């Protein structure tokens, strides 16, 4: 019993935060010198592809109401806030030749307001909204993007480095590349299965490493902050022991894809991935592997290019051998099949099933595979269709947190902090405003976007104050 009690407590220096992203909450899409982003273009040109034709034009109006957001964070006891900077708000031409002073000022105001209220910022450089002009030149499929991102990162570090000690480079690389360049369900809506996702990840990984090295060589000695890489793994659990190997392959294909180049001794993509994609490419009649190749320079630049591991985790899959997905595609290349257990509890998002034990499972796997690095959970949360009495959300947080604490106390996983997703109900990409993740309700009928605390906000306030999960 004593043990159980201990397992519900957070470690002494554990940090609690809430997360959001620029396009999902800011609004103010075309004011104060901001340039057009890929998401601006996508929602305006393809209202048919977004639930209800919703847009982020106004969103939660946080560009104007950020002081209210900060007041809510403070009132609930959060000591950290993860937000993202909109690249085209700072660099409207996409390039570093023209810096938009108003855009730069907005994030100074936000950061200053946070710090004045005892809240530390964690800044995500890129949460999916790059300048449209760069997309017109190929976006993440063009390797010039690596330098463009580096230039942007340098400006962000230079501007905010004296105030921000934790940066995350690129939010959810595999989601960007699959949804944006393979499935075409997110901006920029491109569909190149079997090629788009691999090329995109290749350039995203390089961009991450370049930004990390820029911080390292130009800013670290002055500011002493940290820059982390972010991964968004589902837990890939074998359906039963016969499928251990299939589950391991799924892990390497989906998680190792971006982690192995950074955390492994030898660097580069996972060997099993190189081999399987090469084999499939040959069978399909291509003259070379669809998986691009890193040379020594890039392998070395990427290895160890992180100070911590940022993890967004939501859900799990069962893995069996077999195949899925179109030919060719990353999904198909891995030669496994992912299954959703029909007993898993649902949410408002079809992909998000409630599987608390998967959280411990993936944390242990990350720790074992990558040398037990310091981990920050940078997103975790669940959607509903909109209620203030959000008991299902409380259930999700309670059960997921318990599993995370087991990973910390029982398995020794080095989790240093946790940011919930999300502070506010916000623009859930192609699901528009129909799937709500906030612990704070936002009234999207109200021009002032009134914020109302949900029951889960009060629950969190207690958890943070007690630094322990209460089970009743
Ligand atoms: C991951 C993304 O980073 C975030 O933008 C999104 O809203 C949540 N998952 C929920 O789908």
């Amino acid at each position: 019993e004593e043990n159980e009690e201990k397992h519900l407590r957070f470690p002494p220096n554990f940090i609690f935060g809430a997360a959001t992203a620029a396009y999902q909450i800011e609004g103010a899409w075309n004011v104060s010198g901001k340039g057009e982003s890929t998401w601006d273009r996508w929602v305006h040109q393809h209202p048919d592809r977004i639930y209800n034709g919703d847009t982020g034009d106004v969103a939660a109006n946080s560009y104007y109401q950020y002081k209210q957001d900060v007041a809510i964070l403070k009132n609930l006891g959060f000591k950290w806030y993860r937000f993202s900077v909109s690249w085209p708000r700072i660099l409207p031409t996409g390039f570093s030749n023209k810096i938009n002073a108003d855009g730069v000022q907005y994030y100074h105001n936000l950061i200053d307001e946070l710090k004045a209220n005892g809240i530390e910022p964690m800044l995500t450089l890129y949460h999916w909204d790059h300048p449209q002009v760069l997309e017109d030149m190929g976006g993440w499929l063009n390797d010039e993007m690596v330098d463009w991102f580096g230039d942007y990162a340098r400006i962000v570090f230079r501007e905010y480095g004296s105030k921000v000690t934790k940066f995350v480079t690129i939010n959810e690389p595999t989601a960007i590349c699959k949804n944006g360049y393979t499935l075409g369900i997110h901006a920029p809506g491109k569909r190149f299965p079997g090629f788009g996702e691999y090329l995109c990840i290749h350039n995203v990984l390089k961009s991450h490493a370049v930004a990390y090295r820029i911080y390292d060589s130009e800013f670290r000695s002055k500011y002493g902050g940290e820059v982390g890489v972010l991964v968004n793994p589902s837990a890939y659990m074998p359906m039963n022991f016969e499928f251990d190997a299939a589950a391991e392959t799924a892990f390497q294909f989906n998680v190792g894809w971006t982690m192995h180049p950074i955390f492994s001794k030898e660097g580069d993509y996972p060997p099993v991935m190189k081999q399987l994609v090469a084999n499939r490419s040959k069978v399909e009649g291509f003259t070379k592997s669809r998986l691009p190749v890193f040379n020594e320079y890039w392998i070395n630049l990427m290895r160890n290019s992180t100070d911590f591991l940022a993890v967004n985790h939501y859900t799990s899959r069962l893995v069996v051998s077999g195949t899925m997905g179109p030919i060719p595609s990353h999904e198909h290349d891995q030669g496994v099949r992912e299954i959703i257990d029909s007993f898993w509890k649902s949410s408002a998002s079809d992909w998000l099933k409630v599987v608390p034990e998967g959280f411990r499972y993936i944390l242990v796997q990350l720790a074992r595979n990558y040398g037990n690095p310091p981990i920050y959970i940078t997103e975790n949360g669940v959607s509903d269709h909109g209620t203030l009495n959000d008991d299902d959300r409380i259930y999700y947080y309670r059960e997921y947190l318990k599993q995370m604490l087991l990973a910390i106390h029982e398995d020794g996983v080095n989790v240093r902090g946790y940011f919930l997703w999300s502070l506010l109900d916000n623009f859930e990409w192609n699901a528009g405003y129909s799937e709500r993740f906030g612990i704070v309700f936002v009234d999207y009928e109200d021009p002032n976007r009134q914020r109302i605390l949900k029951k889960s906000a009060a629950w969190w306030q207690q958890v943070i104050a007690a630094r322990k999960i209460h089970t009743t």
Side-chain angles (χ1 to χ4, degrees):
E1 214 166 74
E2 204 177 281
N3 225 15
E4 214 167 88
E5 159 78 17
K6 186 187 130 209
H7 285 169
L8 296 174
R9 288 195 178 280
F10 293 90
N13 296 318
F14 196 85
I15 67 174
F16 297 97
T20 61
Y23 188 74
Q24 295 179 274
I25 66 162
E26 283 178 2
W29 77 279
N30 62 350
V31 305
S32 310
K34 177 178 167 294
E36 186 187 22
S37 79
T38 46
W39 271 91
D40 295 325
R41 177 69 63 89
W42 177 242
V43 300
H44 295 148
Q45 275 197 349
H46 297 281
D48 52 304
R49 309 292 295 280
I50 315 277
Y51 180 89
N52 194 38
D54 290 342
T55 75
D57 291 357
V58 178
N61 206 29
S62 287
Y63 187 73
Y64 299 106
Q65 293 178 216
Y66 68 92
K67 287 190 180 171
Q68 280 183 40
D69 299 345
V70 175
I72 292 169
L73 286 164
K74 183 177 187 187
N75 162 31
L76 297 179
F78 288 102
K79 290 282 186 287
W80 283 79
Y81 181 52
R82 172 177 177 243
F83 67 95
S84 79
V85 168
S86 158
W87 183 345
R89 198 180 284 294
I90 301 238
L91 303 181
T93 67
F95 299 100
S96 53
N97 64 325
K98 184 165 179 266
I99 300 180
N100 176 30
D102 282 358
V104 168
Q105 191 56 44
Y106 169 67
Y107 297 105
H108 274 299
N109 294 345
L110 170 61
I111 293 166
D112 293 346
E113 183 73 8
L114 287 165
K115 298 189 86 131
N117 286 282
I119 301 163
E120 282 297 312
M122 176 187 268
L123 187 159
T124 307
L125 279 98
Y126 175 77
H127 201 123
W128 305 358
D129 48 348
H130 57 278
Q132 177 61 37
V133 56
L134 303 185
E135 189 55 41
D136 293 340
M137 293 186 284
W140 290 114
L141 304 184
N142 182 346
D143 66 3
E144 287 298 310
M145 191 74 163
V146 178
D147 288 337
W148 302 335
F149 184 74
D151 290 346
Y152 162 62
R154 179 178 289 107
I155 286 163
V156 171
F157 295 146
R158 191 197 296 150
E159 275 300 330
Y160 308 116
S162 66
K163 303 176 178 179
V164 176
T165 57
K166 287 195 195 319
F167 293 92
V168 165
T169 52
I170 297 176
N171 184 69
E172 300 204 347
T174 56
I176 298 165
C177 297
K178 285 210 159 184
N179 295 330
Y181 295 89
T182 292
L183 301 171
I185 57 175
H186 282 181
K190 291 179 176 169
R191 290 187 182 152
F192 304 121
F195 291 90
E197 64 271 55
Y198 290 128
L199 254 181
C200 170
I201 286 290
H202 209 65
N203 292 325
V204 163
L205 282 170
K206 287 178 169 179
S207 302
H208 159 79
V210 163
Y212 180 84
R213 299 296 170 201
I214 287 173
Y215 189 84
D216 222 22
S217 58
E218 301 174 31
F219 301 97
R220 188 188 296 282
S221 61
K222 231 187 312 183
Y223 300 133
E226 299 187 319
V227 179
V229 69
L230 188 144
V231 71
N232 53 301
S234 300
Y236 297 96
M237 304 189 286
M239 175 91 135
N240 63 48
F241 66 88
E242 275 174 64
F243 300 116
D244 281 353
E248 170 63 16
T249 304
F251 176 80
Q252 294 302 342
F253 251 82
N254 292 282
V255 185
W257 190 10
T258 59
M259 295 285 95
H260 196 273
I262 292 173
F263 286 101
S264 69
K265 259 199 216 74
E266 62 279 17
D268 204 355
Y269 294 122
V272 63
M273 190 171 188
K274 291 198 276 189
Q275 196 193 341
L276 284 176
V277 184
N279 291 350
R280 285 297 320 163
S281 301
K282 199 163 174 197
V283 171
E284 290 155 6
F286 297 105
T287 55
K288 63 174 195 178
S289 178
R290 288 179 279 94
L291 185 68
V293 176
F294 288 123
N295 62 24
E296 279 303 306
Y297 172 83
W298 285 107
I299 288 176
N300 290 328
L301 203 82
M302 272 181 284
R303 278 174 48 230
N304 290 316
S305 62
T306 197
D307 299 317
F308 60 87
L309 177 57
V311 177
N312 291 0
H313 176 76
Y314 289 89
T315 194
S316 298
R317 296 289 182 262
L318 295 177
V319 179
V320 297
S321 44
T323 55
M324 60 179 187
I327 300 173
S329 68
H330 167 272
E331 251 194 315
H332 184 264
D333 287 335
Q334 53 184 330
V336 305
R337 214 152 63 78
E338 293 170 18
I339 291 174
I340 289 177
D341 190 325
S342 57
F343 287 101
W344 288 341
K345 190 166 136 58
S346 294
S347 72
S349 313
D350 56 5
W351 56 272
L352 204 178
K353 304 299 173 190
V354 182
V355 194
E357 65 274 20
F359 198 10
R360 180 179 182 182
Y361 186 95
I362 188 65
L363 285 172
V364 169
Q365 208 172 15
L366 289 169
R368 297 224 169 112
N369 276 271
Y370 304 123
N372 205 13
I375 289 178
Y376 292 92
I377 307 305
T378 36
E379 288 184 27
N380 175 242
V382 72
S383 57
D384 60 28
H385 291 298
T387 169
L388 293 177
N389 251 327
D390 55 343
D391 291 309
D392 289 339
R393 179 165 293 105
I394 293 173
Y395 173 84
Y396 180 100
Y397 281 132
R398 190 181 57 222
E399 296 309 313
Y400 270 67
L401 287 174
K402 278 193 202 163
Q403 294 292 324
M404 180 190 75
L405 287 173
L406 283 172
I408 294 172
H409 295 307
E410 288 280 294
D411 310 317
V413 179
N414 190 6
V415 186
R416 304 270 181 94
Y418 174 102
F419 294 72
L420 63 81
W421 185 271
S422 177
L423 177 64
L424 305 173
D425 287 341
N426 57 48
F427 180 76
E428 181 55 14
W429 310 111
N430 56 332
Y433 296 100
S434 67
E435 299 174 12
R436 291 170 180 262
F437 281 82
I439 59 168
V440 176
F441 184 88
V442 177
D443 183 356
Y444 283 99
E445 306 295 313
D446 174 5
N448 291 321
R449 298 296 191 269
Q450 197 197 355
R451 283 109 162 97
I452 307 169
L453 301 191
K454 301 181 190 178
K455 195 170 167 185
S456 59
W459 185 85
W460 265 104
Q461 190 175 32
Q462 282 188 44
V463 168
I464 297 171
R467 300 190 64 83
K468 136 182 214 309
I469 302 170
H470 39 282
T471 44
T472 48

